[in-house]
Amino acid sequence: MPRPAVAYFRVSTVGQGRSGLGLEAQHETVEAFAAREGFELVEAFTEIETGKGADALDRRPQLRAALARARREGAPVIVAKLDRLSRDVAFVSGLMAQGVPFIVAELGADADPFMLHLWAALAEKERRLISERTKAALARVKARGVRLGNPTGDTSAALAGKRQAAQEAAKRLLPIIAAIEAAGVTSATGVAKALEARGVKTPTGRNRWQAIQVQRIKERAA
């Protein structure tokens, strides 16, 4: 007999919510996971809100509603990816303390709360390090007397800064990619999906990874 579960979906902007961008993929992931693992989705909640800030839960009424329904049903809340909850480890820890189990479809049914804390901590640290490295790289370029954002249309300085930032970001991302490959994921497409599941952003700060980006990072860090 199927077990009850509650689905939770989130996009970060009103534009994404209106267009459905991101929601369709989340629905497909969660629904396929539920069917495969023997869950029946009794209700789904969709949020259009940022995941940032200490008061993030207060600004996410649909997540509160999902938690309440899950408690009544004695059911878990299923999300497609960890970053649909948050990349903030403190926020994720607070959700774990609510007494409602969370399942991240792309991490699998066996990912316990400890693993969710671990992946959230890694994603948060990686986001901070990428930001710090990017700022430092741009500062070094500027210190050499190169003008960034030249209004005359000369973009060579900005491109140089971006290239250096991408190089340093690649070096930071390579250990994560190596760990994923060591766990048995050998294709660039598989690594890209694993990075998305862990909430790791691309060097340009995007959520969606492509196989070519994984290959380029390995080349840059070589």
Side-chain angles (χ1 to χ4, degrees):
M1 181 177 179
R3 296 166 288 170
V6 173
Y8 177 73
F9 309 107
R10 183 178 69 85
V11 290
S12 301
T13 68
V14 173
Q16 287 180 338
R18 288 175 179 168
S19 68
L21 181 65
L23 287 176
E24 183 178 352
Q26 291 181 54
H27 277 270
E28 290 176 354
T29 298
V30 170
E31 289 167 5
F33 174 85
R36 185 170 63 250
E37 298 294 334
F39 286 104
E40 178 184 2
L41 299 177
V42 296
E43 192 169 357
F45 297 84
T46 300
E47 198 99 67
I48 303 173
E49 180 56 86
T50 180
K52 299 178 180 178
D55 63 341
L57 186 57
D58 294 334
R59 292 184 285 105
R60 289 163 69 175
Q62 293 302 304
L63 179 54
R64 296 200 305 273
L67 287 166
R69 180 64 193 272
R71 287 193 192 95
R72 291 196 301 270
E73 296 287 342
V77 174
I78 303 178
V79 296
K81 298 166 54 179
L82 183 58
D83 65 1
R84 296 306 82 199
L85 292 176
S86 178
R87 295 187 186 87
D88 185 284
V89 67
F91 184 80
V92 172
S93 295
L95 290 179
M96 298 300 106
Q98 296 285 326
V100 173
F102 281 87
I103 298 176
V104 179
E106 289 194 349
L107 293 180
D110 297 329
D112 59 23
F114 172 77
M115 292 301 298
L116 297 185
H117 280 86
L118 178 61
W119 289 125
L122 288 172
E124 180 181 296
K125 182 176 182 180
E126 185 60 31
R127 184 177 69 248
R128 184 177 67 253
L129 288 174
I130 288 174
S131 176
E132 292 172 354
R133 296 279 183 172
T134 300
K135 290 177 181 178
L138 292 174
R140 286 194 293 273
V141 172
K142 187 175 181 181
R144 293 200 298 267
V146 178
R147 294 181 62 188
L148 301 179
N150 192 330
T152 65
D154 181 5
T155 61
S156 59
L159 289 174
K162 289 180 180 180
R163 282 196 297 269
Q164 186 169 353
Q167 182 76 19
E168 297 195 6
K171 290 180 180 179
R172 292 298 312 169
L173 288 164
L174 189 62
I176 299 176
I177 292 174
I180 293 171
E181 290 178 335
V185 181
T186 56
S187 71
T189 299
V191 171
K193 291 181 179 179
L195 288 166
E196 288 181 8
R198 289 153 176 76
V200 178
K201 285 194 173 185
T202 69
T204 57
R206 298 181 181 276
N207 298 323
R208 182 67 65 182
W209 281 84
Q210 296 180 356
I212 188 64
Q213 292 172 300
V214 175
Q215 294 170 350
R216 285 173 179 169
I217 285 172
K218 295 172 71 174
E219 292 170 359
R220 284 172 180 156

